[in-house]
Amino acid sequence: MEVDGPMKAEKRLSNAEISAFCESVAMMLAAGIQTDEAVHMLGESQGAGFEAQAGAGGANALRADSSREASAENRSAATPLGRVCAAVYGEIVDGARLSVALERTEAFPEYAVSMIAVGERAGRLEDTLRNLAVYYDEADRVFAKIRSAVGYPAALLCVMSVIVAVTVGAILPVFISVYERLAGSLTAGSSFAVSAATAVGWAALAITIVATAAALATLAASRTKRGNAALARALERIPLTRQAMYRLALSRFTSTLATYLASGMDADASMHDAIALVDHPRLRERAERAYATMIDLDRGLGLGQAIAESELLEPVYARMLVIGSRTGSIDGVLAQLSDTFFDDAISRIDHAVDSIEPVLAAFLTVAVGATLISVMLPLIGIMGSIG
């Protein structure tokens, strides 16, 4: 069953909604509930109304027209997650696997759909859903923390930029004019003080406007999915968060690789498919270098050795992977490493975000000080020339 136009046109689910979907379905699967019934129950809890679907064999009968109309009204009042669940349920009843149903709704990111597909093949759907729930829950928490850390300073910066603009554009010229009339004519020292005051004032205004624009752009980006992606790319380039984002990408890569290996795929194919989901440039380059040594007919290194030689992982983790490959537990080692990298990445990102508010507060203090100096410098010069 194809998804209709309105469903395809809707925005993708937020990180929090994706996490809620994965966690809820995983919990119901653990309780022995089938996938279609789990999605149905989740959709109903989100206010979605359901019609009985006609299966491939025609075993299910359609409800009456009045029931269908009531169900349509319920869906219109449902949450975005509820409407997605209704669409997913219809696909599953028509015979589609969960991953295929999610892909057809276009409400889930490619990474989540790919991981769920691999989890289905490996018989680890419940574990995969739980891992995705944790991943997207942490992603939502990080961006919420960024909004909280930037929001209040951004508001102060907006007010400060207005104050500095009025001070430099209106108040400072009046001060300078009054000082000139009081002194008759400015001495060389006073002229220098006035010039310095003007330069300091305009510099403070320019820096404040730039900081305000940056804070507002960050705040706006953290509220949209496309903005979150752009913000993530920016964090990959900032020295303070560059290593944390690499760790996060590494966690995703090792988790994907572990799931592929657990599904029964050979190491070469697993590495190839896992690389296709990597969007971090530096990690992708190293992973491709490792894959090249694996498929090189002259060398033909194993997965653990190839990763160790390409410096994809730190030496201590690479040795763990080599040992895991020798003992036949490489997928388990990769899963453990994924958890380690994820925890480390989140810790680093939290530290970086926690430093945003103090930095902006310090900037506000400097900006206020610079503005006061720009007003007082001419007075100092005039008092010196009068004295």
Side-chain angles (χ1 to χ4, degrees):
M1 182 180 73
E2 292 294 330
V3 182
D4 57 14
M7 174 57 68
K8 287 188 176 182
E10 288 185 0
K11 296 188 296 184
R12 284 189 174 182
L13 295 178
S14 66
N15 288 332
E17 291 168 331
I18 295 172
S19 176
F21 176 90
C22 294
E23 181 65 24
S24 299
V25 174
M27 290 176 60
M28 286 185 272
L29 291 178
I33 301 174
Q34 293 183 350
T35 305
D36 58 341
E37 187 64 21
V39 174
H40 184 281
M41 293 172 64
L42 177 59
E44 285 190 329
S45 71
Q46 297 293 318
F50 291 84
E51 300 174 18
Q53 303 291 326
N60 297 319
L62 292 174
R63 290 180 179 177
D65 292 342
S66 59
S67 298
R68 289 200 301 270
E69 291 176 1
S71 180
E73 291 177 359
N74 289 337
R75 279 199 301 273
S76 65
T79 64
L81 178 58
R83 290 192 291 272
V84 170
C85 286
V88 171
Y89 175 71
E91 296 285 355
I92 294 176
V93 170
D94 277 354
R97 291 181 289 110
L98 177 61
S99 58
V100 175
L102 298 182
E103 183 179 14
R104 288 177 180 173
T105 64
E106 298 184 355
F108 290 78
E110 180 184 358
Y111 173 72
V113 173
S114 299
M115 290 301 298
I116 290 173
V118 178
E120 288 174 326
R121 292 201 301 267
R124 298 175 58 178
L125 179 59
E126 180 187 335
D127 292 338
T128 301
L129 286 170
R130 290 190 183 278
N131 291 336
L132 288 172
V134 172
Y135 176 82
Y136 285 104
D137 179 64
E138 286 296 331
D140 180 69
R141 185 186 65 81
V142 167
F143 286 113
K145 195 170 185 178
I146 290 176
R147 288 193 295 271
S148 176
V150 176
Y152 179 65
L156 291 180
L157 281 170
C158 289
V159 175
M160 188 64 201
S161 62
V162 174
I163 294 174
V164 174
V166 172
T167 301
V168 174
I171 298 177
L172 185 58
V174 173
F175 268 72
I176 293 174
S177 176
V178 171
Y179 295 153
E180 287 177 343
R181 286 198 298 269
L182 287 175
S185 60
L186 293 176
T187 64
S190 299
S191 298
F192 174 78
V194 170
S195 300
T198 304
V200 170
W202 283 108
L205 176 60
I207 296 174
T208 303
I209 290 176
V210 170
T212 302
L216 291 177
T218 302
L219 185 62
S222 66
R223 295 182 179 277
T224 64
K225 300 175 188 64
R226 183 175 297 180
N228 286 346
L231 187 57
R233 289 192 296 270
L235 293 176
E236 292 175 2
R237 299 181 177 90
I238 299 174
L240 186 62
T241 56
R242 184 183 302 156
Q243 187 62 26
M245 297 305 294
Y246 180 80
R247 290 282 198 182
L248 191 59
L250 193 58
S251 171
R252 286 179 52 171
F253 173 73
T254 51
S255 176
T256 304
L257 191 56
T259 307
Y260 276 124
L261 290 171
S263 70
M265 295 176 61
D266 62 76
D268 290 355
S270 298
M271 190 69 168
H272 177 272
D273 290 352
I275 291 175
L277 296 177
V278 175
D279 53 10
H280 191 285
R282 185 157 59 100
L283 177 59
R284 187 181 185 90
E285 178 185 353
R286 293 182 177 181
E288 289 176 343
R289 190 163 64 242
Y291 177 67
T293 61
M294 293 174 63
I295 62 176
D296 189 341
L297 296 179
D298 295 332
R299 305 190 66 190
L301 296 181
L303 177 61
Q305 293 176 319
I307 289 179
E309 184 176 298
S310 65
E311 300 180 349
L312 185 62
L313 303 180
E314 297 174 13
V316 61
Y317 299 127
R319 283 195 294 270
M320 291 173 58
L321 202 56
V322 171
I323 295 173
S325 62
R326 291 173 181 172
T327 59
S329 59
I330 189 169
D331 57 327
V333 175
L334 283 168
Q336 292 177 2
L337 291 178
S338 175
D339 293 338
T340 300
F341 295 145
F342 184 81
D343 292 340
D344 183 45
I346 294 301
S347 177
R348 290 170 182 259
I349 292 174
D350 283 345
H351 176 72
V353 173
D354 288 340
S355 65
I356 292 176
E357 190 167 355
V359 169
L360 290 178
F363 173 79
L364 285 171
T365 302
V366 172
V368 170
T371 305
L372 292 176
I373 290 173
S374 68
V375 174
M376 297 303 296
L377 275 178
L379 178 60
I380 295 173
I382 292 299
M383 295 301 293
S385 63
I386 293 176

